[in-house]
Amino acid sequence: DIMGVSINHLNAPHKEEAFWLSPENIVVIDSEIDPPNKFTEYTLKPLETTQPSNSIQQIKLRLKVKPRALFCVNTPNGEQCTNEDIYSAADKVYYTLEFRQPIDYDVGLTNSIYTGVMLHISAEPKLGQPFQTNLINYDEVKTTISGQEFIVALPPKLQVGQTFEDIANGYKVTLQSADANGAVVKIEKI
């Protein structure tokens, strides 16, 4: 994102916060109250372009069981974490799904980003209040640049045919297919 180490498109929750995503392009699912027909296949359209109404660019899965997530940074003395859980005070917390393509500022990202779906965890954006998103399905590698060691997040691991399950919150997400036009995601209640 813009405040990070690269200049790419914002992720879906931050585009929502900036009013760059229309509510008509967002699907919200709550496993506790939504009817069975809400658990179906959805086609996610590329996040980088303006889409017509009802072309989905973000899927939000509301979490009844909030994850415990601490803010941590790597320092010369090792990893340092706060004692504050970054999602405990949030009214609403979601998994968010988005699909990206090599368009505009997202040209040049690792190729597997374009073939998978990115899965974040996010608090509900509130006007004028900062909030954090976390990419939850990634791997880390260590790299050294100019003698300094960095940890770099690799692209998402929800690729075609793969499934993400959260039994506590009642969700099963499977990426059915993906091409330049969109990614078909199946959302099931478990």
Side-chain angles (χ1 to χ4, degrees), residues 68-75 77-86:
R68 180 163 163 71
L70 305 178
F71 180 74
C72 300
V73 295
N74 288 312
T75 69
N77 297 326
E79 187 175 64
Q80 302 292 316
C81 297
T82 66
N83 288 324
E84 183 180 344
D85 182 345
I86 57 178

Side-chain angles (χ1 to χ4, degrees), residues 59-114:
I59 298 172
K60 296 169 64 172
L61 306 174
R62 185 156 183 203
L63 305 182
K64 61 184 177 191
V65 178
K66 296 177 189 175
R68 180 163 163 71
L70 305 178
F71 180 74
C72 300
V73 295
N74 288 312
T75 69
N77 297 326
E79 187 175 64
Q80 302 292 316
C81 297
T82 66
N83 288 324
E84 183 180 344
D85 182 345
I86 57 178
Y87 295 111
S88 63
D91 293 334
K92 296 177 183 175
V93 178
Y94 298 91
Y95 290 129
T96 65
L97 292 97
E98 65 189 55
F99 177 64
R100 299 178 90 133
Q101 286 296 285
I103 301 169
D104 296 331
Y105 294 108
D106 278 354
V107 169
L109 297 175
T110 304
N111 282 341
S112 62
I113 285 180
Y114 310 134

Side-chain angles (χ1 to χ4, degrees), residues 33-44:
I33 61 171
D34 280 332
N37 67 342
K38 192 104 183 225
F39 295 87
T40 186
E41 289 183 357
Y42 294 93
T43 299
L44 278 168

Side-chain angles (χ1 to χ4, degrees), residues 113-147:
I113 285 180
Y114 310 134
T115 61
V117 172
M118 298 185 84
L119 180 63
H120 287 86
I121 189 164
S122 172
E124 177 84 285
K126 291 184 181 179
L127 189 60
Q129 295 182 359
F131 72 101
Q132 182 167 339
T133 63
N134 296 92
L135 184 63
I136 64 168
N137 60 332
Y138 69 93
D139 288 329
E140 294 179 342
V141 294
K142 291 184 180 181
T143 188
T144 303
I145 301 172
S146 300

